[in-house]
């Protein structure tokens, strides 16, 4: 489950001076995200961060900037279905669709899922994942 922490909410109407930055990263084997907005004209700042998959509006901006990686789902070379459900909270119908067509992850999510799948398979059958 994703955790979210908001430090401050103070925002002007967006103008041409506004700066917006969003990141995803892996820290201590966990997926994290951060968002930062700053308007130097009005000295307004917004910082937001959390664990897990970022909120849709932040993830959409990351996808627009960095694109996606197509990942196979299930099978010997795909992302384990249980891992995909745990990370993204997908329904059974969403997992079934992803099993057929694959899943589009951000580059950081793809690395996290690949690393987690490798750790799970290295631990052997029945290991918690």
């Amino acid at each position: 489950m994703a955790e979210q922490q908001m430090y401050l909410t103070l925002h002007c109407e967006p103008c041409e001076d506004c700066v917006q930055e969003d990141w995803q990263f892996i820290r201590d084997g966990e997926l994290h995200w951060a968002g930062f907005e700053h308007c130097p004209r009005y000295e307004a700042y917004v910082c937001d961060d959390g664990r897990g998959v970022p909120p849709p509006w932040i993830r959409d901006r990351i996808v627009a900037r960095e694109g996606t990686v197509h990942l196979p789902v299930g099978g010997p070379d795909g992302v384990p279905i249980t891992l995909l459900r745990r990370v993204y909270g997908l329904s059974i119908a969403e997992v079934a669709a992803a099993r057929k067509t694959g899943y589009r992850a951000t580059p950081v999510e793809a690395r996290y899922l690949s690393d987690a799948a490798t750790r799970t398979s290295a631990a052997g059958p029945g290991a918690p994942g």
Side-chain angles (χ1 to χ4, degrees), residues 7 24-34 49-51 108 111-112:
Y7 298 133
Q24 271 188 306
F25 51 96
I26 300 169
R27 181 189 304 148
D28 299 326
E30 293 294 325
L31 188 62
H32 290 264
W33 59 272
D49 70 351
R51 290 189 314 174
V108 172
R111 189 172 72 241
Y112 173 77

Side-chain angles (χ1 to χ4, degrees), residues 18 29 42 58 76 104 111:
C18 287
Y42 297 105
I58 291 178
R104 294 269 175 204
R111 189 172 72 241

Side-chain angles (χ1 to χ4, degrees), residues 53-88:
V53 178
W57 61 92
I58 291 178
R59 189 173 189 275
D60 290 346
R61 290 191 299 250
I62 292 169
V63 167
R65 185 182 69 235
E66 298 178 11
T68 60
V69 177
H70 182 261
L71 299 174
V73 175
D77 298 325
V79 176
I81 292 170
T82 55
L83 178 61
L84 200 67
R85 286 199 71 206
R86 180 174 56 86
V87 171
Y88 294 100

